[in-house]
Amino acid sequence: MRASTVVLAAALTITGAAGAVGLARGSGDAVIAGSFSHDDERRAGPDSARVEAFFRSLHAADPMLCEMVADQLGNFWSSMGDDMIGSLADGARRWEPVRDSLAGRVTDAAARRRLLTALGDDDVCIRRTAAKMLGHTGELAEPALKEALRSSLPRVREAALLALGHAELPGSFDAVMDATRDPSPEVTAMATWALGEYEDARGFGRLNDLTRSGLARVRRAAAWGLGQLEDPRGVAALAP
């Protein structure tokens, strides 16, 4: 199923037609369908009203639908400009710019603050979605994500590392490395995954050590990270 179909079906199921219109009106900045470049830097991100409407919809959703939306967030870069080929004749496309904005760089400061608050949400899907959106935002979110790594709440630190793993910001490499020694096993596992996402040879020694962790989740993340590095030296650690 195409990502656009999944997200549209989810939006209609979650909020109904009125809710979908509400999400589209979450921002006053009108965007003409087809006006986006496929260059991520030029994709307009959401404002705080649109983020709030999006999270309200996800909170009201069946958890399965929320996870489907979170999975596909950012995976529809080629959705624009296909001239509706393969679409049903009465299928409206006016919602596409709204949907694509949710995967854009969040330049609106109020929207970033709302996303950062969501890193501590009780709903795991909301935390995951917020982390992906902040990861797509890149260096604009970096200072706040580093600050989130100092949170007293493990779930906030875990979500911040998920965002940094998506962003792969060079300036946060050391912070991610340090987080692999977090006292929380969930945070350690996410930090291990994020370290592998950097595909940076400086992480080899630490990933190699983590393959001997007593926690299966950490070992799995370390194995993934060594695979990302594609360093032949990792074979010895992976063979057992």
Side-chain angles (χ1 to χ4, degrees), residues 15-226:
T15 64
V21 170
L23 180 59
R25 291 176 178 170
S27 171
D29 52 326
V31 184
I32 304 301
S35 64
F36 284 123
S37 163
H38 291 308
D39 180 358
D40 296 355
E41 297 297 320
R42 296 180 61 186
R43 178 171 280 102
D47 64 9
S48 59
R50 183 165 290 165
V51 169
E52 191 62 48
F54 185 42
F55 283 165
R56 279 200 305 270
S57 296
L58 293 182
H59 267 300
D62 181 283
M64 180 191 71
L65 288 175
C66 184
E67 289 294 339
M68 290 170 70
V69 172
D71 278 341
Q72 294 303 320
L73 186 66
N75 291 346
F76 16 84
W77 305 132
S78 299
S79 64
M80 305 295 284
D82 58 8
D83 299 317
M84 299 186 69
I85 295 171
S87 298
L88 297 177
D90 57 349
R93 302 288 289 262
R94 290 187 299 274
W95 47 266
E96 273 195 335
V98 177
R99 180 207 56 193
D100 281 1
S101 80
L102 293 169
R105 281 166 53 85
V106 184
T107 57
D108 182 81
R112 290 200 303 275
R113 288 194 295 271
R114 178 65 184 93
L115 291 172
L116 287 162
T117 300
L119 296 183
D121 199 279
D122 290 338
D123 188 322
V124 64
C125 183
I126 297 294
R127 296 200 304 272
R128 182 169 167 240
T129 301
K132 288 187 75 173
M133 293 175 74
L134 287 167
H136 295 161
T137 298
E139 69 280 354
L140 289 176
E142 187 172 22
L145 289 173
K146 284 184 173 180
E147 181 64 29
L149 292 181
R150 292 189 281 272
S151 170
S152 62
L153 297 176
R155 66 183 177 187
V156 172
R157 302 197 301 275
E158 180 188 29
L161 286 161
L162 176 58
L164 289 170
H166 282 296
E168 301 176 37
L169 297 164
S172 294
F173 179 86
D174 290 341
V176 171
M177 177 80 84
D178 290 344
T180 64
R181 296 176 172 84
D182 194 278
S184 165
E186 292 81 9
V187 177
T188 298
M190 186 61 77
T192 304
W193 168 81
L195 186 61
E197 287 297 287
Y198 272 84
E199 301 181 21
D200 189 317
R202 291 176 295 166
F204 174 82
R206 183 60 181 150
L207 290 170
N208 190 65
D209 291 343
L210 288 164
T211 62
R212 296 187 290 276
S213 169
L215 300 170
R217 187 174 179 182
V218 173
R219 295 196 303 273
R220 183 163 55 245
W224 167 266
L226 288 174

